[in-house]
Amino acid sequence: SKFKGKVGVAAVVGVIALVVVMYLLIVLPLDKSAGAGAKEQVVQGAKVVPTRVRYHAYDLLAVARRAAADSSFATAIQAEAKRQSCFNAITAYDNKLKAQRRKADFLGVVDEQGKIIARDLNIQDMHGEKLPYGAVTHALAGRATGDIWVMKNRLLRAAVAPIHVNGAVKGAVVIGYDLTDAEAEAEHKQFGVQIVYFSGGAVRASSFPKAGAEVKAVNAQLLTAQGAAAKAVAAAKVGDVFTVELNGAEYLGVAGPLPAPVTLFSGQGD
């Protein structure tokens, strides 16, 4: 489960959503004595990190499906005072998650058009906003979907599951957890790789020190139009291993997309 040797690894990961492209870059300080093993290590890192991302997606998908199956949401979405009822259901369910130590960073309910009826914390916030993500579209078609997206400049692991009323989809529960520098650092410790998540030509989360020289170098050298990471984005696939200098040190690197969104058919009573 760990890839530790004479070289460290850095990774930048990305996921394709409807309006945002998220990608991953793996880099590792190059130890000349490591030889061919260094290249194998960075390639392996580019495999295990997306596998972990996919595992988290399935786990979060299960959380979203359990939430959407809670009768309080079906009741709330049919209520005359729909907005207040959904907010109350969200608050109550978020408290359940908190008791399980899984409190969400975002929990909301959308209507049949994908517009926010209510979200956690503030009943006024985002009301009526349409969420422009493929996962929402899939859920409203009856397919619970997990993905990674940027919302309000926050990188979220998100999942959306349909709310069924008498066999028909009447809305969906949206749940999300921040994908932060701290999580990237935890992945770095587990896999022996540095992780950088990026989209739109900018680093969103990284296991490098926040605002450190390495992150600035990634932005300047790898995410520009001619950078290796940008080329992987354009090709929409994992690229070849490359070398790059970051903050005075030579690294091996590889970049590519995160796994496709995870989708499961969600029938009434699942």
Side-chain angles (χ1 to χ4, degrees):
S1 60
K2 294 186 178 181
F3 298 89
K4 293 188 176 181
K6 296 182 178 179
V7 289
V9 177
V12 179
V13 182
V15 161
I16 300 176
L18 182 63
V19 294
V20 197
V21 178
M22 297 298 308
Y23 270 76
L24 165 69
L25 166 70
I26 301 282
V27 297
L28 57 85
L30 181 58
D31 184 331
K32 298 298 185 182
S33 66
K39 182 176 181 179
E40 176 60 26
Q41 187 176 354
V42 76
V43 169
Q44 192 69 7
K47 294 177 180 177
V48 296
V49 174
T51 297
R52 177 182 168 91
V53 167
R54 195 166 183 81
Y55 169 81
H56 278 306
Y58 277 111
D59 179 60
L60 183 53
L61 197 54
V63 175
R65 295 177 83 196
R66 285 194 296 271
D70 190 286
S71 61
S72 64
F73 289 108
T75 300
I77 210 163
Q78 298 176 85
E80 185 174 345
K82 183 182 300 187
R83 185 177 175 188
Q84 184 65 56
S85 295
C86 284
F87 180 73
N88 292 344
I90 289 165
T91 301
Y93 200 85
D94 207 21
N95 285 333
K96 290 182 183 179
L97 291 174
K98 183 178 181 180
Q100 300 166 13
R101 297 184 177 180
R102 297 205 67 166
K103 188 182 186 311
D105 293 308
F106 179 92
L107 182 60
V109 173
V110 297
D111 62 17
E112 294 170 271
Q113 286 73 50
K115 295 180 180 179
I116 291 284
I117 298 172
R119 62 153 298 178
D120 58 327
L121 303 179
N122 184 349
I123 195 172
Q124 306 297 334
D125 190 26
M126 296 181 70
H127 175 67
E129 288 189 29
K130 186 169 184 177
L131 298 185
Y133 306 109
V136 176
T137 302
H138 289 319
L140 293 174
R143 302 186 301 276
T145 302
D147 202 352
I148 295 180
W149 64 50
V150 176
M151 176 189 286
K152 306 292 184 182
N153 207 36
R154 293 165 60 189
L155 185 60
L156 289 177
R157 296 188 189 277
V160 192
I163 299 170
H164 289 94
V165 178
N166 297 325
V169 176
K170 293 299 182 181
V173 169
V174 183
I175 188 167
Y177 292 86
D178 291 332
L179 204 170
T180 63
D181 291 340
E183 184 169 343
E185 173 62 20
E187 291 172 338
H188 162 60
K189 290 178 179 178
Q190 180 176 3
F191 299 118
V193 301
Q194 299 287 356
I195 313 295
V196 183
Y197 295 88
F198 67 94
S199 70
V203 171
R204 300 290 181 174
S206 169
S207 58
F208 282 124
K210 191 167 185 66
E214 293 90 352
V215 171
K216 293 177 181 177
V218 167
N219 277 317
Q221 299 180 49
L222 298 177
L223 302 187
T224 57
Q226 298 303 313
K231 290 177 180 178
V233 170
K237 64 180 182 180
V238 176
D240 296 329
V241 174
F242 57 85
T243 58
V244 63
E245 185 175 302
L246 301 176
N247 193 29
E250 189 175 11
Y251 286 76
L252 285 180
V254 65
L258 286 178
V262 172
T263 298
L264 295 173
F265 178 75
S266 184
Q268 186 180 23
D270 282 5

